[in-house]
Amino acid sequence: AGIAGCTAARFFALAGARVALIDRNPDPDAYKVVCTHAIQSSATPAIERLGLAPLLEARGAVRTGARFWTPFSDWIMLPDDLPRAWGITRRSLDPMLRTLAAETPGVELVLGQTVVELTADSGRPAGVRAIDRDGRSRSFGARLVVAADGRGSGIARLARVPGRVRRHGRFF
């Protein structure tokens, strides 16, 4: 139930799907500690479709433009006609997005559960099985499982989907 999972859950639910949004952390106010967040301007259309823009504005998210300096090309400035980017801490963004997703009709937020198995029916995905911290098991039937659990995805490993690491060539 991080940024990617909440976004996917809300979009699927807005399209009419029933969604179980599962996260191992039991705290609804959890956030990714090692990351501040600058949301690039290219995400503005998705933010608006999500209904997140008014919540960001109400929370005081800073609208920014981008300027980068490199020793290779001096200043890089983006054109003025691009939408403005957003600056907000993960401490604010993650719980805000989780609440937005959880309040979407069709989304069930399930906290404190860890997915430990992908279930199958005749060789096709049929859902997941999760356990809580006390070892109690719960199954979720699904025609589609979206693993938005990030780099080193445990769910991808369960599905035997090999990870890919590609050089991105970034210098900052």
Side-chain angles (χ1 to χ4, degrees):
I3 291 174
C6 289
T7 299
R10 179 153 166 89
F11 279 146
F12 279 121
L14 290 173
R18 289 183 45 233
V19 178
L21 180 57
I22 304 169
D23 198 293
R24 90 179 64 174
N25 195 321
D27 182 3
D29 293 326
Y31 60 95
K32 188 173 180 180
V33 176
V34 297
C35 183
T36 59
H37 213 66
I39 305 169
Q40 295 180 8
S41 63
S42 59
T44 297
I47 287 170
E48 290 171 351
R49 280 191 8 230
L50 270 172
L52 185 59
L55 300 174
L56 290 170
E57 289 170 2
R59 183 70 173 102
V62 177
R63 297 304 301 266
T64 65
R67 296 159 107 196
F68 308 98
W69 184 87
T70 76
F72 309 106
S73 64
D74 203 27
W75 282 99
I76 301 170
M77 291 186 257
L78 300 179
D80 289 334
D81 60 345
L82 286 178
R84 305 297 280 174
W86 298 85
I88 187 166
T89 66
R90 293 293 294 268
R91 179 185 305 234
S92 296
L93 178 62
D94 290 20
M96 180 188 315
L97 190 52
R98 191 171 298 112
T99 298
L100 180 63
E103 291 175 351
T104 305
V107 174
E108 176 189 0
L109 179 60
V110 182
L111 298 175
Q113 299 275 326
T114 301
V115 173
V116 294
E117 179 184 9
L118 292 174
T119 58
D121 181 18
S122 301
R124 298 185 60 86
V128 299
R129 186 174 65 83
I131 58 170
D132 66 15
R133 292 179 178 204
D134 295 323
R136 291 183 297 251
S137 179
R138 181 171 174 194
S139 292
F140 299 85
R143 294 188 344 217
L144 173 66
V145 174
V146 176
D149 55 341
R151 183 171 178 239
S153 169
I155 297 172
R157 277 193 302 280
L158 290 172
R160 296 186 182 101
V161 174
R164 293 185 300 250
V165 177
R166 296 183 181 150
R167 288 186 46 80
H168 50 66
R170 296 180 192 144
F171 57 91
F172 62 92

